[in-house]
Amino acid sequence: MPDHYLTSITRKAGLAEQPPQELELPRERWRTGDLVFTEVLESGQVPFLVETPSGRAVEVLPGDVVVGALGRRAATLEAVGDWRAVQDDGVMQTLTSAGLFGRCTSSSLPPPPMADVRYSAHAARAGAQLNMADFAPDVAQRSLEAPVVLIVGTSMDSGKTVAAKAITRVLTRMGLRVVGAKLTGVARLRDVLAVSDAGADEVFDFVDVGLPSTVVAPERYEQALRALLSLIAGARPDVVVAEAGASPLEPYNGAVAMRMLRERVACTVLCASDPYAIVGVMTAFGIEPTLLSGRATSTEAAIDLIHKLVGIEALNLLDHRSHPRLAEILGERLGRAPATGVRA
């Protein structure tokens, strides 16, 4: 059994190749993105599956040591938590299986599906605490010139990653170099791997630029997004498939991402949890998407209701029979011929 389990949120830090020291620090020296050792407690959900830097799921039990990062989550459908809410006992929760640690302050599920852990120490090298930002690349600022297919949602778990996979498959069959990006949300390697497996040449997310989640001050997020867009530009994409996690109105800085990408967006896909949520986001945020998809398009009746409500085309992208029409839409928006290899 290993001395400790590394989570996928630590994947840029090279902790397996160069194991860190343990450095216990007082609460006033903790920061968002700090890499920390924690011990799994008897309470909470155990056994619990953590996502490792390879993307595999590993079961942890009470007494196991897990290394992750301090951060914040503000999910509308699952849990809200913040490392700043941790009390003197050092107890917090695995806010995601990827290793985002903080004290859960609100949950839609009793009990919440997470493990209780206790802070043991910070990860350190040469006596200095380690932070995710320490491993962000020093990238030269580049302008993104490629068109962007932007995927936004009405909430978490609305079908954005399903849409990203379908769109990536169609675009790669057009012979395009596709770069995927997860611009906002909480760290989960499985989303990155899903788009990579769908055929993207490269995939980036905010972990690559030192953030455990995008629930940070807008100024900090804007700085990180500039670096992320420079990384994407350096990959020389023909087209970027970019997912903004959660919804633009939630505290994940989706609105900042949409503003900074506005001039490059060729197609906007709104994924909705239900038909009426489409009306809510369109009205509240003032957007008119190119295409609608997600859970709200699961049945013909739902699609008919969407047409009555907003009059915008909707496709169930889980159904491969919708992909030829998706190819036509993307081809029109990008000025490319539809993919000949896309079959119903």
Side-chain angles (χ1 to χ4, degrees):
M1 189 182 78
D3 292 335
H4 55 261
Y5 293 92
L6 300 176
T7 56
S8 64
I9 207 168
T10 71
R11 67 183 188 266
K12 307 303 292 186
L15 301 184
E17 296 76 17
Q18 189 178 354
Q21 305 159 340
E22 294 187 33
L23 177 66
E24 190 170 352
L25 292 176
R27 178 69 175 68
E28 59 269 19
R29 290 186 58 186
W30 296 13
R31 305 169 299 173
T32 295
D34 278 353
L35 302 177
V36 297
F37 290 85
T38 66
E39 180 185 353
V40 179
L41 303 178
E42 288 281 357
S43 55
Q45 180 180 311
V46 290
F48 184 78
L49 294 176
V50 297
E51 184 184 68
T52 68
S54 69
R56 297 175 62 185
V58 174
E59 185 178 90
V60 295
L61 297 168
D64 287 340
V65 175
V66 179
V67 183
L70 301 176
R72 300 166 64 191
R73 189 181 184 196
T76 55
L77 299 181
E78 284 187 8
V80 176
D82 192 333
W83 70 265
R84 298 174 302 179
V86 175
Q87 305 297 308
D88 291 341
D89 59 6
V91 174
M92 45 191 162
Q93 284 74 41
T94 50
L95 298 176
T96 70
S97 61
L100 182 71
F101 294 146
R103 181 171 173 265
C104 180
T105 57
S106 175
S107 173
S108 64
L109 301 172
M114 55 189 71
D116 290 340
V117 296
R118 179 182 288 115
Y119 169 82
S120 299
H122 271 64
R125 287 185 183 137
Q129 68 197 91
L130 299 181
N131 188 281
M132 291 176 64
D134 299 335
F135 305 96
D138 185 13
V139 59
Q141 188 164 338
R142 298 182 178 94
S143 296
L144 180 64
E145 303 296 337
V148 174
V149 178
L150 181 63
I151 304 167
V152 297
T154 58
S155 70
M156 64 171 291
D157 211 21
S158 60
K160 295 182 294 296
T161 302
V162 168
K165 292 191 296 182
I167 291 166
T168 298
R169 286 174 62 89
V170 166
L171 292 173
T172 56
R173 288 179 177 177
M174 290 182 182
L176 299 174
R177 177 174 171 78
V178 179
V179 172
K182 185 170 182 180
L183 304 178
T184 65
V186 291
R188 279 198 180 100
L189 184 56
R190 70 184 187 194
D191 294 342
V192 173
L193 294 177
V195 177
S196 179
D197 290 343
D201 292 274
E202 295 191 59
V203 187
F204 300 94
D205 74 349
F206 46 85
V207 172
D208 291 310
V209 290
L211 293 182
S213 80
T214 61
V215 187
V216 294
E219 299 79 14
R220 173 70 184 96
Y221 175 69
E222 187 168 334
Q223 177 187 37
L225 182 57
R226 285 198 191 96
L228 180 57
L229 295 178
S230 294
L231 283 176
I232 295 168
R236 302 187 181 280
D238 292 324
V239 60
V240 178
V241 177
E243 176 189 336
S247 79
L249 295 174
E250 295 175 53
Y252 288 96
N253 283 299
V256 176
M258 292 179 68
R259 171 176 56 79
M260 291 180 64
L261 281 173
R262 183 178 296 123
E263 300 303 318
R264 302 310 314 157
V265 175
C267 178
T268 301
V269 180
L270 174 59
C271 295
S273 51
D274 69 80
Y276 294 101
I278 294 169
V279 179
V281 168
M282 288 179 61
T283 301
F285 206 69
I287 62 172
E288 184 166 337
T290 312
L291 177 68
L292 301 169
S293 191
R295 293 180 180 273
T297 63
S298 297
T299 68
E300 293 177 355
I303 290 174
D304 288 343
L305 178 56
I306 290 169
H307 287 164
K308 291 178 183 177
L309 289 171
V310 295
I312 297 174
E313 186 166 3
L315 295 176
N316 178 6
L317 296 180
L318 271 176
D319 185 346
H320 70 278
R321 293 172 297 180
S322 69
H323 291 190
R325 177 55 186 152
L326 174 63
E328 291 177 358
I329 294 170
L330 293 172
E332 291 167 3
R333 302 298 296 191
L334 298 172
R336 298 273 185 161
T340 56
V342 178
R343 299 182 298 273

